[in-house]
Amino acid sequence: MCGPLTTSSAPGTSSYPTGACSSWGGNKSYPTPTSGYQGLRVSYIFNPADNTYVRTPDMLDGHWYPSATALGNGDVFSVGGLKEDSSGSVTTERWSASENRWLRLDEVTQTWRFWGLYPAMILMQDGRLFYTGSHVFGNGLPGTGASIYDLATGAVTDVPGLRRKDERDESMSVLLPPAQDQRVLTLGGGNNETNPDAHRLTDLIDLKAASPAYTPGPDLPQGHYHGGAPQTGEQGKMYVSAVLLPDGTVLETGGALHNRADPVFEASLYDPATGAFTPGLATDPVPRTYHSSAVLLPDGRVMTVGDNPGDGSFDQRVSLYSPPYLFKGPRPALSSLATDRWRYGTAQRVTVSEPVVKASLPRPAAVTHSSDPNQRYLDPPMTAGAGGAVDLHVTTNPNLAPPGWYMLTVVNAAGVPSIAKWVHLS
Ligand SMILES: [Cu+2]
């Protein structure tokens, strides 16, 4: 993941670069006759300026397939995954952005729970975490399969309403635009062990409610399989990708009916304002099942990568998708920024080439296995001035937009977005 690690120096290491990315955990070894996958405890910070990794102090546990959530103060929260001995890690890890190290066991409130593999943990505006129920492999967690996790106390409160919680393997959850609405949509999913037909259920939750609960959303639109046979009945998809677009809609694309098999060719747009899917978008020509991902690019297109079907092959083809807004006329341009270093609670002046109706700040992707708990979208209120000047009012709440880089975009009345400019929030 990228963005929150905007630090200066670490004990015993050289300086860490501003705006760097980090990576941790991963595959220490593949299964043997006597052991399963084993997780690494090492972590690194990547410096895009000189293309190097700097090793940090180790984590407490190994973590194969852990979660990764940026917090409002720039810290990173990580749970789940498999330890060095291939058992499930029950240790909560926290990277301190101010001290450039993983905190010690006694410095982090522990739940001693196993949160599974790639558990999707979304930061709420009050600093708690929402475990959406999206995960990788097998059944969901015991209980309702979704919960709110108070980092300060370690208290975990089950959240009701998620349907088929044991068929949410490689479903995808997104914090819907705009982030301050605090609504999460969870889409599709299956189960790589019991391997039913993946379903087309979506569930919605309003995290601002006094007692948040999932309620049923609209069914995913259906697509077709290789050869053109249409999906029928309750058939849906796992390995689904959902990407927040700069106009505030959500592109939903790719996936498969079964474990690493039966790709589904379908793409739609979900509009959080209307709560409806627009079906029938052009589909990705490449199957996008296990180990596929979709990423918003700064130019407003979406890149999709990867496919790792059951025969063990890996499809290296990259697809580029141009959303409908790129066919609706000329694009506005962001011609200048007063600065690309933004502070919370400030007004930031930008200059635009034509009148615009909104600005957006999508956070860059940090996605794998249909999981990107850091994906979010701010829409800073604007005040238009003379000569194309626009003042954007940056939130005072870092929990709505954790520190790091964002893709500033403006959108005109026709719904056409500009090419993004990078801004760094701290
Ligand atoms: Cu994998």
Side-chain angles (χ1 to χ4, degrees), residues 327-341:
F327 303 91
K328 289 182 176 171
R331 307 184 74 168
L334 266 168
S335 49
S336 76
L337 308 182
T339 173
D340 65 358
R341 303 292 155 142

Side-chain angles (χ1 to χ4, degrees), residues 153-246:
T153 64
V156 177
T157 307
D158 261 12
V159 160
L162 181 66
R163 293 175 293 173
R164 299 205 205 181
K165 62 112 177 167
D166 290 332
E167 296 175 28
R168 293 293 185 171
D169 170 15
E170 285 168 273
S171 60
M172 186 149 184
S173 298
V174 286
L175 179 65
L176 292 172
Q180 71 269 19
D181 283 0
Q182 295 284 287
R183 293 192 305 146
V184 171
L185 180 70
T186 293
L187 310 100
N191 186 315
N192 76 317
E193 292 169 2
T194 58
N195 209 14
D197 282 1
H199 60 84
R200 56 188 297 216
L201 301 180
T202 77
D203 286 312
L204 266 168
I205 189 167
D206 180 353
L207 297 170
K208 299 188 308 304
S211 298
Y214 269 116
T215 55
D219 286 349
L220 280 170
Q222 289 178 307
H224 64 272
Y225 302 108
H226 265 312
Q231 289 196 287
T232 59
E234 298 184 346
Q235 291 175 342
K237 51 191 180 176
M238 58 199 297
Y239 314 116
V240 57
S241 288
V243 179
L244 308 186
L245 299 179

Side-chain angles (χ1 to χ4, degrees), residues 285-298:
V286 179
R288 299 294 178 196
T289 72
Y290 190 53
H291 290 150
S292 67
S293 291
V295 172
L296 174 67
L297 301 178

Side-chain angles (χ1 to χ4, degrees), residues 65 131 158 220 308 317 331 336 379:
Y65 286 25
Y131 169 62
D158 261 12
L220 280 170
N308 190 192
R317 286 177 288 175
R331 307 184 74 168
S336 76
D379 61 343

